[in-house]
């Protein structure tokens, strides 16, 4: 059997939802899930998977902030449950010595190794968990109402504002949520929970109209 | 449902936390010889008071950090939340800590490094 | 379907302005008969408009019952609504809004309401005293099974839906606010408005379809010069226009839990004839409020007199509500019986609507504006009198009225008779303190108003209006405003538009109200005398729903049930779906009287949620069916599905169990897979194994403390098996950990233990050893893992294009290499859970399927066979490898497993070390792991079977222990098993027996746990 000479970086790999079984709706009486409310052309929730969005877990003390800024483009967020951003990159607070670094798809490996070199004199752990986590991009006028159905934290736009982040439960899935704008959030979960969350979001947003885009 | 103040994430629902039971139980080191009965104080004996109790909690669905909490088991009032390794500051919680029967146990004494093995332990940890 | 004839005329309908829209007719069916009502009607008001008073039979005596109230406190008019899967029992007709083609049935009657066989119980009533079931069915115990059948048949109110698959859609949601207002009457609305004006995020909920509370049931009250209804409308409009105010009509606040966490049930589409598919039928709200204002109003109490449960006997306030709100006159000839002023307004409403009215006032000398008004209207007032008995067949027809003495407890004069078709009774008001009490607020007894009302609160809450014992409208409005302002302030709200020093807007000024002064002090007359000795005479009901009479309460007291909680359980008083809303205070007062105590000394029973029954569907929400629990799939899952795998749940994971080919049984498939792994090659999806990245200068020392064996000397690139104990010395998890770099390890855990082990390691780092410099990161899902096992593994990897030398010299057993396979970067561990030459190939999860299909293709020529978890279990059992959680159960030490070799003797400490030295650990009779070989090689002992030395010993047998793993081994040609047996290590060579449930006995010999390749020669292929 001939081996393929294709470089791995050229292989696209599969998204978290690839091969997912057909959505098995909890309620067979729900009308046309995913098509939006009848007669409503503007669904309250439009969501998509952010395929291969780069994700690095960084465990380091605050002193690593300078190097993180120089490599990633943004420093550690200044407070717990906040994020800092530079373009498409975010550094999200996960704990007093733990951060999630979000970067462009397929830039994760490169960023991880640059960061690791920059931090090599420090006690730290840079771990590429791009494939371990799946990310959803959620947008729409009903996005916060939909999330409130499964999330106990206060998602009022005045309480969970742009740049705020939270690790919490969304129904039965542990998630990290990042508020991008009033009607726009990123929800990150473990990859194996992505099919569940996909189905959950479709069902929970039914009353506002919902559309999943590839 | 209780609302618990995570020292990092602020108030969150009880469902995001897990309770690690009684706080301030010092772990005897195996190299410090104590009797089985004294060791049982550490391994098996837990308080179950009606009233203020010092407990360990973890924000398991959030930042995954452990902390201590002084909670009234009757009213569910949280008197104090304080970091791991620290002692309570409020008078009520301090009193619970100081009057605990554990403070005088052999198990608690054995939680300190034994003089003879101190060097060895430090060496094993790779530190001065 | 049912044929609908011509609906009956609404003979009791009044032609007047009201909250029903007489231009919009609505057809509905009750007990098979067609009726019409109007938009705005409840089922109760529509039935009354059609002259229907008899709507149900009582629980115990099957007595005819009518509509008592006009709200959620209704104990009698319980209805089964809808048909088929949509049917729902025990709904209160007083709360059901009618809609086109509504279908309702009465309950608790066989065969019909008018003629009910169960009513024989009523004739036998003297044999059904309080505690009847307890007394009768106590003995003999052997008969209980028969009694139970009888009791179960008699128990229960309505009948659940015939089809148990609830077709409706339910939602639940979390919400947060500064101020939650429970109750949308005058006080609640004012609290909401004041709080919202002060900048608070407000949620206001009311169980009715409209806001306004009891003002909806009033006519003639003017506030600020306009009808009360218009004044309410103006407030509702302002609230609706405020963006931070959420108005929830048709929503019951039914539970109040710790830290101002409240649960609400919103009936979103219950009132619609066609429920839109995208909307839920009901929505459960879980609200965390900074402050609450409880303004749920009050319930009117019935009076306890003989025959007070007849249809046509109603609460006075309810009668007023049916007249004013629903334009329905419940009776033409009315007796208004009261111990207070308020019922006079009902008398006036009846009088104005054209009914003939007699007021029977228990008070000897009532005075005041209302009495003057009634007198001026020419209404007959019998002061110092009582209705001592009501009579009628299926509706009240006549009453006996008698004068009472000054204590209102003794008949003092001649009995007179009056015909009537309605009794409107009023025994005073009881504040609805349910939520306040659920929230552990304290109550105090008001001696004047004769009610319990809130005193101190436990949670961050305020009480306002009638629910606080403030029955006067002007005072209630004032209290609402004050509570709203205080709640907003306590919630930390500031209004930037205001100029006052504390940034709050000035309180709303009090409106002018045209109500005359009214006494809110009823006369204490808890039990109306009927001229018979105690316990004799006709029944006077306290709890209508549970058929508890005044004499039942007295009897229970005489029999020693003196605590109110005991009384409740003995008589079932207050235990129905209404939770005693109308009955509790009357029962307490009668109990207090029987005990010679004061009411506050007797106290109340504990108030528990829910305030009104809540639909379990709403509580479940979308956590049903496929969304009940997440199902986690590996990245190769669709290949397994496409290739016919059968799956098993492992925690939340779905793992391929075995891959049956056409016509194969499970045993045949598993045998084929097991054989292939030892003769050619097998491929297992091992992605679910827990994986933890461990980094830091103290990583090796950390592993030394976590595992029982030593880790300092492990070379980079080498792997080692480790066993983790809890601090009690019991095995907790196991796995292979590999040194990736000097300060970098890759740990694997069991599939089920993955999350728990990471938590366990973090716990020690954070709480006991914060000085250790170690960082942990879960990488379980970063890697997809395919385990290739079997003699042809080398050939397959070579054909798959692995770019490293696979010789044992270069890649020995228990080592790790980074390489490429078919161009995919991979981390390959040469470790084995089968005893064969074996590689665990890890690739980035996104390439999991690519790796799997690539290996399957490369292995096709070499007999590669995918195998599932069942074959994996057999393969490892053939080698005597344990599975944590199968061979262990939290009470098994390494020594018990025969694994002393893995315990370091030189480490000063590790988790569990001291516990292993406890004297009890050395006992010979601990359960220890052994292998078993059955005498009949084809016989497989059931897992969990218990072993005995002598199968013929008398019962109960002395049991040695249980089988933990048991399989047929196709490689050995006989069955194999492992068991934990007492003193097992000393039983080698002995025969033990397994007596089974069917009477058969399996015989087996105790052997070593390693059944296959005991010397481990196959590990190199």
């Amino acid at each position: 059997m001939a081996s393929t000479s294709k470089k791995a970086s050229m292989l696209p790999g599969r998204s978290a939802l690839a091969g997912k079984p057909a959505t098995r709706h909890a309620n067979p009486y729900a009308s046309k899930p995913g098509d939006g409310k009848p007669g409503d052309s503007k669904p309250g929730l439009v969501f998509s998977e952010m395929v291969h969005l780069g994700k690095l877990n960084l465990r380091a003390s605050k002193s690593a902030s300078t190097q993180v800024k120089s490599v990633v483009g943004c420093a550690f967020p200044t407070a717990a449950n906040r994020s800092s951003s530079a373009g498409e990159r975010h550094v999200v607070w996960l704990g007093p010595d733990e951060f999630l670094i979000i970067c462009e798809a397929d830039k994760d490996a490169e960023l991880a190794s640059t960061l690791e070199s920059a931090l090599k004199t420090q006690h730290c752990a840079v771990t590429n968990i791009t494939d371990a986590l799946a990310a959803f991009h959620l947008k729409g006028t009903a996005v916060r109402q939909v999330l409130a159905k499964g999330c106990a934290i206060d998602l009022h736009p005045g309480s969970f504002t742009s740049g705020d982040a939270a690790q919490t439960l969304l129904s039965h899935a542990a998630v990290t949520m990042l508020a991008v704008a009033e009607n726009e959030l990123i929800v990150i979960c473990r990859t194996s929970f992505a099919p569940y969350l996909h189905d959950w979001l479709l069902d929970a947003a039914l009353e506002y109209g919902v559309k999943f885009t590839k | 449902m209780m609302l618990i103040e995570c020292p990092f994430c602020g108030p969150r629902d009880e469902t995001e936390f897990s309770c690690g039971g009684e706080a301030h139980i010092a772990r005897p080191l195996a190299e410090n010889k104590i009797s089985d009965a004294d060791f049982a104080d550490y391994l098996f004996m837990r308080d179950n008071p009606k009233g203020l109790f010092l407990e360990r909690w973890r924000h398991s669905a959030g930042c995954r950090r452990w902390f201590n909490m002084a909670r009234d088991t009757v009213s569910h009032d949280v008197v104090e939340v304080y970091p791991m390794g620290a002692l309570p500051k409020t008078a009520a919680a301090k009193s619970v800590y100081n009057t605990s029967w554990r403070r005088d146990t052999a198990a608690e004494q054995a939680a300190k490094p034994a003089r003879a093995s101190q060097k060895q332990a430090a060496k094993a940890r790779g530190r001065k | 379907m049912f044929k609908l004839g011509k609906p009956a005329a609404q003979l009791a309908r009044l032609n007047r302005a009201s909250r029903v829209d007489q231009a919009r007719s609505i057809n509905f069916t009750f007990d098979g008969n067609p009726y019409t009502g109007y938009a705005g009607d409840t089922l109760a008001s529509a039935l009354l408009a059609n002259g229907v008073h008899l709507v149900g039979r009582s629980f115990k005596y099957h007595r005819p019952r009518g509509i008592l109230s006009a709200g959620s406190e209704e104990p009698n008019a319980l209805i089964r609504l809808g048909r088929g899967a949509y049917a729902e029992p025990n709904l209160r007709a007083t709360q059901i809004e009618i809609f086109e083609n509504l279908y309702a049935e009465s309950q608790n009657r066989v065969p019909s309401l008018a003629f009910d066989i169960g009513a024989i119980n009523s004739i036998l009533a003297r044999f059904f005293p309080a505690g009847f079931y307890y007394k009768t069915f106590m003995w003999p115990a052997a008969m209980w099974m028969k009694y139970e059948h009888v009791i179960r048949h008699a128990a229960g109110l309505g009948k659940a839906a015939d089809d148990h698959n609830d077709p409706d859609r339910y939602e639940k949601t979390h919400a947060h606010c500064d101020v939650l207002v429970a109750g949308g009457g005058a006080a609640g609305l004012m609290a909401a408005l004041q709080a919202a004006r002060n900048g608070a995020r407000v949620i206001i909920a009311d169980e009715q379809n409209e806001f306004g509370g009891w003002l909806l049931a009033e006519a003639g009250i003017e506030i600020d010069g306009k009808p009360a209804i218009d004044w309410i409308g103006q407030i509702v409009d302002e609230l609706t226009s405020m963006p931070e105010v959420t108005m929830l009509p048709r929503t019951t606040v039914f539970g109040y839990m710790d830290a101002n966490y409240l649960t609400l049930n919103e009936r979103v589409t219950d009132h619609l004839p066609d429920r839109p598919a995208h909307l839920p039928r009901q929505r459960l709200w879980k609200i965390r409020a900074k402050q609450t204002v409880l303004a749920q109003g009050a319930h009117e109490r019935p009076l306890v007199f003989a025959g007070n449960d007849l249809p046509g006997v109603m609460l006075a306030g309810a009668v007023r509500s049916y007249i004013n709100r629903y334009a329905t006159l419940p009776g033409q000839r009315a007796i208004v019986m009261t111990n207070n002023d308020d019922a006079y307004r009902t008398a006036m409403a009846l009088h104005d609507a054209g009914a003939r009215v007699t007021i029977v006032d228990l008070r000897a000398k009532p005075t005041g504006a209302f009495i003057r008004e009634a007198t001026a209207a020419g209404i007959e007032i019998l002061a110092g009198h009582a209705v001592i008995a009501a009579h009628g067949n299926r509706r009240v027809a006549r009453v006996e009225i008698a004068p009472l003495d000054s204590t209102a407890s003794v008949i003092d004069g001649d009995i007179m008779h009056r015909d009537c078709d309605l009794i409107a009774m009023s025994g005073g008001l009881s504040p609805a303190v349910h939520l306040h009490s659920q929230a552990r607020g304290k109550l105090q007894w008001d001696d004047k108003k004769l009610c319990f009302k809130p005193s101190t609160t436990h949670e961050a809450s305020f009480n306002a209006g009638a629910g606080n014992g403030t029955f006067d409208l002007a005072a209630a409005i004032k209290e609402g405003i004050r509570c709203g302002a205080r709640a907003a302030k306590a919630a930390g709200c500031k209004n930037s538009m205001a100029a006052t020093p504390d940034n709050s807007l000035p309180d709303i000024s009090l409106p002018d109200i045209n109500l005359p002064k009214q006494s809110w002090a009823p006369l204490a007359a808890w039990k109306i005398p009927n001229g018979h000795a105690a316990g004799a005479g006709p029944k006077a009901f306290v709890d209508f729903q549970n058929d508890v009479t005044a004499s039942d309460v007295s009897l229970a007291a005489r029999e020693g049930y003196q605590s109110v909680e005991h009384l409740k359980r003995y008589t079932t008083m207050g235990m129905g779906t209404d939770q005693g809303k109308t009955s509790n205070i009357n029962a307490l007062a009668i109990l207090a009287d029987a005990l010679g105590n004061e009411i506050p000394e007797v106290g109340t029973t504990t108030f528990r949620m829910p305030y009104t029954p809540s639909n379990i569907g709403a509580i479940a929400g979308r956590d049903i069916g496929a969304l009940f629990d997440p199902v986690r799939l590996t990245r190769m899952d669709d290949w397994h599905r496409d290739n016919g795998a059968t799956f098993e749940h492992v925690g939340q994971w779905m793992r391929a169990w075995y891959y049956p080919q056409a016509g194969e049984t499970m045993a045949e498939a598993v045998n084929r897979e097991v054989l292939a792994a030892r003769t050619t090659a097998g491929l297992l999806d091992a992605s679910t194994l827990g994986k933890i990245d461990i980094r830091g200068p103290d990583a090796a020392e950390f592993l030394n403390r976590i595992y029982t064996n030593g880790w300092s000397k492990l070379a980079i690139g080498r792997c080692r098996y480790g066993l983790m104990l809890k601090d009690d010395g019991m095995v907790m998890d196991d796995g292979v950990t590999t040194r990736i770099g000097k300060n970098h390890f890759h740990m694997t855990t069991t599939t089920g233990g993955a999350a728990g082990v990471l938590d366990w390691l973090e716990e020690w780092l954070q709480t006991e050893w914060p000085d250790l410099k170690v960082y942990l990161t879960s990488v379980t899902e970063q890697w997809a893992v395919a385990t290739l096992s079997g003699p042809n593994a080398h050939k397959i990897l070579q054909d798959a294009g692995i770019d490293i030398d696979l010789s044992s010299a270069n890649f020995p057993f228990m080592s790790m290499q980074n390489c490429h396979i078919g161009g995919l970067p991979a981390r390959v561990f040469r470790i084995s859970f089968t005893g064969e030459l074996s590689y665990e190939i890890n690739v980035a999860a996104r390439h999991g399927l690519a790796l799997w299909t690539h290996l399957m293709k490369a292995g096709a020529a070499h007999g590669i066979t995918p195998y599932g978890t069942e074959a994996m279990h057999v393969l490892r059992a053939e080698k005597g490898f344990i599975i944590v959680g199968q061979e262990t159960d939290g009470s098994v030490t390494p020594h018990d497993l025969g694994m002393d070799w893995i315990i370091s003797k030189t480490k000063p400490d590790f988790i569990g070390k001291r516990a292993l030295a406890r004297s009890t650990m050395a006992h010979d009779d601990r359960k220890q792991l052994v292998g078993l070989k059955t005498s009949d090689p084809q016989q497989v002992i059931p897992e969990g079977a218990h072993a005995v030395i002598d199968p013929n010993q008398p019962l109960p047998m002395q049991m040695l222990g249980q089988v933990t793993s048991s399989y047929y081994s196709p490689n050995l040609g006989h069955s194999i098993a492992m068991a934990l047996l007492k003193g097992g290590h000393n039983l080698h060579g002995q025969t033990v027996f397994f007596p089974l449930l069917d009477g058969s006995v399996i015989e087996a010999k105790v052997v070593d746990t390693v059944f296959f390749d005991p010397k481990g020669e196959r590990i190199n292929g």
Side-chain angles (χ1 to χ4, degrees), chain C residues 10 12-16 22 322-324 326-329 353-354:
Chain C
Q10 300 179 50
R13 191 67 78 175
L14 297 165
N15 184 15
R16 57 177 292 168
Q22 302 204 16
Y322 287 116
I323 296 169
N324 292 331
Y326 301 105
T328 292
L329 186 59

Side-chain angles (χ1 to χ4, degrees), chain C residues 570-613:
Chain C
Y570 188 58
T571 62
T572 71
M573 187 277 301
M575 290 175 75
T577 63
D578 64 333
Q579 288 287 289
K581 290 186 183 66
T582 54
S583 62
N584 279 342
I585 300 301
N586 284 339
L588 289 178
I590 293 168
L591 178 66
D593 181 51
L595 298 173
N597 260 344
E598 296 299 317
I599 291 169
E601 289 169 40
V602 173
T604 64
T605 53
T606 308
F607 290 85
R608 292 197 175 85
M609 65 177 285
Y611 175 72
T612 47

Side-chain angles (χ1 to χ4, degrees), chain C residues 511-523:
Chain C
D512 290 328
I513 302 171
N514 71 335
L515 272 175
K517 209 169 149 51
Q518 177 173 352
S519 155
W520 294 102
L523 176 76

Side-chain angles (χ1 to χ4, degrees), chain C residues 338-350:
Chain C
T338 183
N339 65 0
N340 63 71
D341 276 8
D342 199 56
Y344 280 76
R345 301 196 18 245
T346 298
M348 286 306 300
L350 282 162

Side-chain angles (χ1 to χ4, degrees), chain B residues 36 42 56 76 125 127, chain C residues 258 705 727 763 771 914:
Chain B
D36 280 3
Y42 157 75
R56 305 179 318 144
H76 287 184
R125 284 182 205 116
R127 279 222 249 302
Chain C
D258 281 330
R705 299 186 192 183
D727 224 2
E763 177 176 349
D771 54 317
R914 173 61 186 86

Side-chain angles (χ1 to χ4, degrees), chain C residues 19 98 139 149 174 319 348 372 427 476 510 547 590 635 647 694 703 738 821 827 995:
Chain C
R19 303 309 287 170
I98 61 163
W139 46 264
H149 182 74
H174 297 272
V319 169
M348 286 306 300
R372 286 194 296 277
L510 293 177
D547 273 350
I590 293 168
R635 305 301 283 272
F647 290 85
I694 302 173
L703 292 175
T738 303
I821 298 175
R827 188 183 264 183

Side-chain angles (χ1 to χ4, degrees), chain C residues 620-899:
Chain C
R622 76 184 73 263
D623 295 335
I624 54 169
L627 294 176
F628 177 68
D629 196 39
V631 173
R632 302 172 70 184
L633 307 174
T634 74
R635 305 301 283 272
M636 293 86 140
D637 175 78
D638 44 331
W639 190 95
H640 307 323
R641 258 185 290 129
D642 292 347
N643 289 274
T646 303
F647 290 85
E648 72 167 337
H649 287 276
V650 180
Q652 286 176 318
W653 287 105
M654 203 60 125
R655 295 191 70 180
W657 195 14
Y658 57 96
Y659 302 80
Q661 294 180 350
E664 262 185 344
T665 64
M666 177 177 176
E668 288 163 353
V670 172
N671 286 348
R672 175 178 50 75
E673 291 170 17
V674 169
L675 283 168
R678 296 214 189 277
T679 52
T680 51
L683 192 64
L684 173 79
D685 180 355
S687 302
T688 60
L689 282 183
K691 305 166 203 75
I692 301 168
D693 207 61
I694 302 173
R695 288 195 210 213
D698 294 325
E701 167 60 14
F702 177 61
L703 292 175
N704 277 336
R705 299 186 192 183
I706 289 292
Y707 282 127
T708 59
N709 48 352
W711 292 83
S712 308
K713 292 182 189 140
L714 184 68
I716 291 172
R718 299 306 294 253
C719 319
R720 184 165 288 171
Y721 174 77
L723 206 54
M724 261 178 224
L725 310 184
K726 292 241 165 174
D727 224 2
D728 61 2
M730 304 303 166
V731 173
M732 160 190 170
D733 206 80
D734 68 347
V736 170
T737 293
T738 303
R739 191 165 210 161
I740 306 284
K742 181 170 177 289
N743 299 329
H744 186 184
F745 291 82
H746 174 91
M747 175 188 278
T748 62
T749 74
T750 58
T751 294
V757 169
L758 180 65
D759 291 347
W760 173 250
L761 303 186
E762 273 290 348
E763 177 176 349
W764 286 93
L765 283 174
Q766 288 183 33
T767 67
E768 196 68 25
W769 307 318
D771 54 317
L772 289 188
K773 287 191 164 180
V774 178
Y775 282 135
L776 309 172
T777 309
S778 168
V779 289
T780 299
E781 295 203 35
Q782 176 65 20
W783 303 97
V785 184
T787 302
L788 179 63
S789 203
N792 290 348
H794 273 182
K795 289 182 216 159
I796 293 169
L797 284 179
Q798 271 150 7
D799 280 1
I802 193 164
D803 61 356
I804 48 165
D805 171 12
L806 290 174
S807 70
S808 284
N810 181 60
F811 195 175
F813 181 54
M814 295 306 271
S815 69
M816 180 278 291
Q817 297 257 351
N818 288 311
C819 61
H820 291 80
I821 298 175
L824 291 172
R827 188 183 264 183
V828 181
F829 300 86
R830 197 184 146 193
I831 55 180
S832 182
F833 197 41
T834 59
E836 298 296 317
L837 173 67
S838 176
Y839 297 90
E840 282 193 6
I841 305 157
N842 289 239
V843 294
R846 71 177 73 173
H847 299 312
L849 183 72
L851 171 73
W852 183 275
T853 50
H854 184 65
L855 288 172
M856 284 304 297
K857 223 183 268 174
H862 305 290
I864 196 167
T865 300
Y867 69 99
T869 49
E870 189 65 18
M872 176 194 81
H873 277 78
V874 178
L875 287 161
R876 64 88 204 178
E878 287 178 339
K879 287 294 295 175
F881 296 149
I882 61 152
I883 286 189
V884 170
Q886 185 152 347
E887 269 64 55
T888 72
D889 60 2
S891 70
V892 179
T893 68
H895 176 72
D896 298 338
L897 296 170
M899 293 174 77

